[in-house]
């Protein structure tokens, strides 16, 4: 059965590991630093304007949002990292919740793919590199999505692509998709990867 993108809702904003849904469907997790455009990308993917809230204060929300797509798939929005103005206790809460998703999640076997977002204008930050290194060491399947690519000219995009393809924390066979939530570029390519890794039909 093909995925019906008209049947999408926010199942839960989980602040505790015990709140994670246990539905027997594949999960795709979205990871990235604050202000990388994660909410905009999820809204773009799902053809919605405000299902995923775009925060005016990046890193403000410390929950994991589970978006139920047609009862066949969960898109899992992990809280953004790399925020500089957070209290130490807030950073600890972020780490505990995000680490818990990967290390204490009873449904980790349902995690089909991690979509690692990197700002195409900035390239991998130190926090991005830590996340990429973790994904490699944990042997979790991931793709890299270079966001906000509409803000690059042809020369800048070429340089950005070369940087990502040559990065030591990104294996040579890792799919790299340039994405513009504003213009929809990369949307079909990313959905194809999601379908490939989850076996969900488009």
């Amino acid at each position: 059965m093909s995925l019906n993108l008209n049947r999408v809702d926010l199942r839960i904003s989980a602040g505790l590991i015990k709140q994670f849904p246990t539905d027997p469907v594949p999960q795709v997790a979205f990871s990235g630093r604050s202000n990388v455009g994660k909410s905009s990308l999820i809204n773009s993917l799902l053809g919605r304007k405000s299902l995923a809230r775009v925060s005016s204060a990046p890193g403000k929300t410390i929950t994991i949002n589970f978006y139920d797509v047609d009862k066949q798939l969960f898109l899992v929005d992990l809280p953004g990292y790399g925020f500089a103005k957070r209290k130490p206790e807030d950073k600890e809460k972020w780490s505990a919740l995000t680490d818990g998703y990967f290390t204490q999640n009873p449904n980790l076997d349902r995690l089909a793919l991690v979509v690692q977002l990197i700002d195409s204008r900035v390239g991998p930050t130190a926090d991005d590199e830590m996340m990429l290194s973790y994904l490699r060491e944990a042997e979790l399947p991931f793709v890299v999505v270079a966001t906000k690519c509409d803000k690059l000219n042809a020369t800048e995009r070429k340089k950005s692509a070369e940087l990502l393809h040559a990065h030591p924390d990104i294996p040579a066979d890792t799919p790299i998709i340039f994405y513009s939530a504003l213009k929809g570029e990369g949307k079909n390519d990313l959905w194809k990867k999601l379908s490939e890794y989850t076996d969900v039909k488009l």
Side-chain angles (χ1 to χ4, degrees), residues 30-36 38 58-62 77-86 90-91 94-95 98-99 102 114-119 123-135 145:
F30 291 77
S31 167
R33 69 177 180 83
S34 300
N35 206 29
V36 74
K38 190 151 46 66
K60 183 177 181 181
T61 304
I62 307 178
D77 183 7
L78 301 176
Y81 54 74
F83 34 78
K85 299 180 180 180
R86 298 311 302 264
D90 286 345
K91 292 185 179 182
W94 178 91
S95 295
T98 304
D99 290 350
F102 289 113
V114 177
V115 178
Q116 179 61 39
L117 276 59
I118 293 173
D119 191 324
T125 64
D127 291 304
D128 291 329
E129 290 173 342
M130 286 180 62
M131 193 67 202
L132 288 165
S133 179
Y134 172 77
L135 294 173
V145 170

Side-chain angles (χ1 to χ4, degrees), residues 1-11 23 25-26 46 48 51 67-75 191 200-202:
M1 183 186 300
S2 297
L3 208 58
N4 183 357
L5 295 184
N6 291 317
R7 297 184 60 196
V8 179
D9 60 36
L10 173 59
R11 171 70 68 85
D23 307 46
V25 298
L46 297 175
R48 303 297 179 90
L51 181 67
Y67 296 97
D68 183 342
V69 185
D70 197 23
K71 308 297 181 186
Q72 298 187 58
L73 173 69
F74 275 122
L75 299 188
W191 265 121
V200 172
K201 294 181 180 179
L202 299 178

